[in-house]
Amino acid sequence: MAGVLQRFEQRLEGAVTGAFARAFRSAVQPVEIAAALQREVDNSAHILSRERMLVPNDFTVELSPSDYERLNPFSSTLSDELSTLVHEHVSEQRYTMAGELHIAFTRAGDLSTGRFRVRSKTTASVTPVVGQRMTETAVRSSNVVIEVNGMKHPLEPPGVVIGRGNEADLKIDDPGISRRHAQIKIHQSGDQTTVTIVDLDSTNGVVLNGHRVSTAVVADGSEIRLGNTVVVIRVTEAG
């Protein structure tokens, strides 16, 4: 761990000049943020299997207004260096991340100068259904929409197969999801839309609104947990 922080400090020293250096005289030091990110990774790791541990890949560093104003002009450079540090730490500890690493800085009015917080979450990258229109118009006009990690995906009958493998219609890069994990079936009869979730013999199963299911009808607003990812179903009647 010390080696990763030392390399971070050395890289940062090479990048810090002029106004950049003056900004880092603020009460919050980059190495403090770096160490906090490492701790957050370690403390948030949870076991996927005997040889794999999943860690967050989406981090938000909350700063006091004064520290944010000083560091924000250089947030891109700092984020790049912190991302390198996190990648090194993840590699050395042999952790697994779901999706691309993202580090952002925000202002928090309840923090005083010198104080900061690190928040994290696991956000798997999602590859949309091939050929599916992802415009706002397509989302509004569809009777069935699924929401995954902030993205909305309009669906049409007969539905989609969700999984981690390339053979899935909707690919979610979550190590807790099987290659072909589940199928969302859509049946349209006149103005009636029926949505069903089917477990395709996945390793970790399908959890619908807190209950494990093999096959179940899904209502509007239902939450389906696949691995470490939550899929929200939105169903409207045909107009």
Side-chain angles (χ1 to χ4, degrees), residues 143-145 193-195 218-221 233-237:
N143 293 336
V144 182
V145 174
T193 302
T194 303
V195 182
V218 180
D220 177 47
I233 305 289
R234 302 297 180 189
V235 184
T236 59
E237 296 301 325

Side-chain angles (χ1 to χ4, degrees), residues 136-233:
E136 283 296 322
T137 300
V139 170
R140 287 196 301 269
S141 62
S142 179
N143 293 336
V144 182
V145 174
I146 61 175
E147 299 177 3
V148 190
N149 294 339
M151 297 179 63
K152 295 182 179 180
H153 304 263
L155 301 184
E156 302 294 338
V160 294
V161 170
I162 301 177
R164 184 168 47 85
N166 293 327
E167 62 270 31
D169 299 315
L170 185 71
K171 181 180 177 182
I172 302 178
D173 188 19
D174 180 335
I177 291 179
S178 299
R179 297 185 65 81
R180 283 172 53 88
H181 196 107
Q183 183 177 16
I184 295 178
K185 294 184 177 181
I186 303 172
H187 178 69
Q188 192 78 48
S189 178
D191 292 342
Q192 296 295 318
T193 302
T194 303
V195 182
T196 306
I197 183 72
V198 180
D199 186 353
L200 301 178
D201 296 325
S202 64
T203 300
N204 294 317
V206 173
V207 178
L208 172 63
N209 296 326
H211 302 281
R212 185 158 179 162
V213 299
S214 55
T215 302
V217 175
V218 180
D220 177 47
S222 293
E223 293 188 352
I224 301 171
R225 178 171 290 278
L226 308 174
N228 306 285
T229 300
V230 174
V231 177
V232 180
I233 305 289

